[in-house]
Amino acid sequence: MRVVMSTPVEKMDRPYGKRWAALGVLCLSLLIIVMANTTLTVAAPDMTLDLNLSSADLQWVIDGYTVPYAALMLLLGAIGDKYSRRGALVLGLVVFGVASVAGALSDSSNAVIASRALMGIGAAFVMPATLSLLAATFPRAERAKAITIWTATAGLGIAAGPLVAGALLEKYSWNSSFLINVPIAVLGILGALFLVPPSKAGHSDRLDYIGGLLSVIWVGSLIYMIIEGPHFGWGAAAITAAVVAAVGLVCFVLWELRHPCPVLDVRRFARRAFAGSTLAVALFFLAVFGAFYYLTQHLQFVLGYSPLDTGV
């Protein structure tokens, strides 16, 4: 009896029978990488005291995850589409789980930041793979409902992260905010192998590596500037990052307009509905995660709230 799902979804002559169970696996995988953005904000005060973190250390412990996550998502998503979406999902979960163990065992700021960055790389594999697998697995008539559930899961992850971390920190140390990821990642890997069918893009076009590299440069530089400038001053590092981001964005757009199979079709942004909704989501996340970073410290350090009260 065949246990591991091996029939590519593109070769099935009817909708995949276990697609809703597969969606559960995809949503579970999405949940832990979104929660990783918010759980550590509640754990940050305990971590600061235990590891004697400076303000700069704490900022990069939180955002060390965000930079590779955002910068690599386009490129790693394109690689997963070309070679194996499920393979990208499993690889991302393995990297994420191993990095979570490393983070829990860390005893210095540099070790925690490195672990968080590795978690971000794993998340950059997972996020686009979940949506690509969803689109490939569900027929058009059910796809909108599946995407709605997927999107709601992301929203749940944002809200659940502080609650889960707060509950854990009532009895355990900040290390538990890393270790909680490990069993969920293992479940995601097993579920992906047994329930999620393999899938990859139907075309064999040459991968847009240059566009992917340019996206890494300009997105990474932009996020570095957003982190560095307001917190540590508009010195040479922040200004250089701003220039690199601007030049990289221009080069990226020009290249994508010329490439026959771009990693991102920038022409879509000419449509006001697409551009407006994308901008709204970006501003929402910028506001939410910025507020989380400051509120969790204010509630615990200044007002004396417990981790669970802070999470609530």
Side-chain angles (χ1 to χ4, degrees), residues 9-307:
V9 70
E10 292 83 10
K11 294 185 177 180
M12 296 180 182
D13 56 2
R14 64 186 67 183
Y16 175 49
K18 296 181 180 180
R19 58 191 178 277
W20 293 105
L23 177 63
V25 175
L26 300 179
C27 288
L28 183 67
S29 303
L30 176 68
L31 185 66
I32 60 168
I33 66 169
V34 174
M35 283 178 57
N37 264 314
T38 56
T39 51
L40 211 61
T41 56
V42 174
D46 282 2
M47 186 183 297
T48 299
L49 297 174
D50 189 32
L51 299 180
N52 194 27
L53 301 179
S54 67
S55 175
D57 290 335
L58 179 59
Q59 183 67 44
W60 280 108
V61 164
I62 301 295
D63 292 316
Y65 178 82
T66 308
V67 175
Y69 178 26
L72 292 170
M73 196 182 304
L74 270 179
L75 177 59
L76 297 186
I79 291 173
D81 282 341
K82 182 173 177 61
Y83 296 107
S84 174
R85 290 164 176 154
R86 188 179 70 175
L89 174 63
V90 171
L91 176 60
L93 288 171
V94 169
V95 171
F96 188 87
V98 170
S100 296
V101 174
L105 299 177
S106 298
D107 58 0
S108 68
S109 60
N110 289 336
V112 176
I113 293 169
S115 299
R116 289 278 291 172
L118 191 58
M119 288 171 64
I121 294 173
F125 273 109
V126 172
M127 170 68 89
T130 58
L131 190 55
S132 294
L133 284 164
L134 182 157
T137 303
F138 280 83
R140 185 177 296 273
E142 298 175 342
R143 199 171 296 158
K145 183 187 296 184
I147 291 175
T148 300
I149 295 172
W150 181 90
T151 306
T153 301
L156 176 65
I158 294 173
L163 288 171
V164 171
L168 287 171
L169 290 169
E170 287 291 297
K171 294 184 177 181
Y172 306 104
S173 69
W174 60 265
N175 311 74
S176 61
S177 64
F178 284 90
L179 289 176
I180 190 63
N181 297 324
V182 179
I184 303 175
V186 171
L187 284 175
I189 292 168
L190 294 175
L193 293 174
F194 297 152
L195 294 172
V196 178
S199 173
K200 62 181 180 179
H203 55 76
S204 58
D205 293 324
R206 180 168 54 90
L207 193 62
D208 180 17
Y209 284 109
I210 294 179
L213 179 61
L214 288 171
S215 75
V216 171
I217 292 171
W218 83 261
V219 173
S221 299
L222 177 65
I223 296 174
Y224 181 85
M225 178 203 72
I226 292 172
I227 295 169
E228 188 75 13
H231 292 281
F232 309 119
W234 292 99
I239 293 174
T240 300
V243 173
V244 172
V247 174
L249 175 59
V250 171
C251 293
F252 174 76
V253 171
L254 293 176
W255 177 265
E256 296 301 272
L257 289 172
R258 295 179 56 191
H259 199 278
C261 187
V263 70
L264 175 65
D265 185 1
V266 295
R267 292 178 179 85
R268 292 180 182 272
F269 289 93
R271 293 159 47 190
R272 289 195 298 175
F274 181 84
S277 59
T278 302
L279 178 62
V281 170
L283 292 174
F284 167 76
F285 276 98
L286 185 66
V288 165
F289 288 111
F292 277 176
Y293 176 74
Y294 287 107
L295 282 175
T296 51
Q297 295 179 70
H298 179 75
L299 291 173
Q300 293 187 69
F301 281 141
V302 179
L303 300 183
Y305 282 32
S306 70

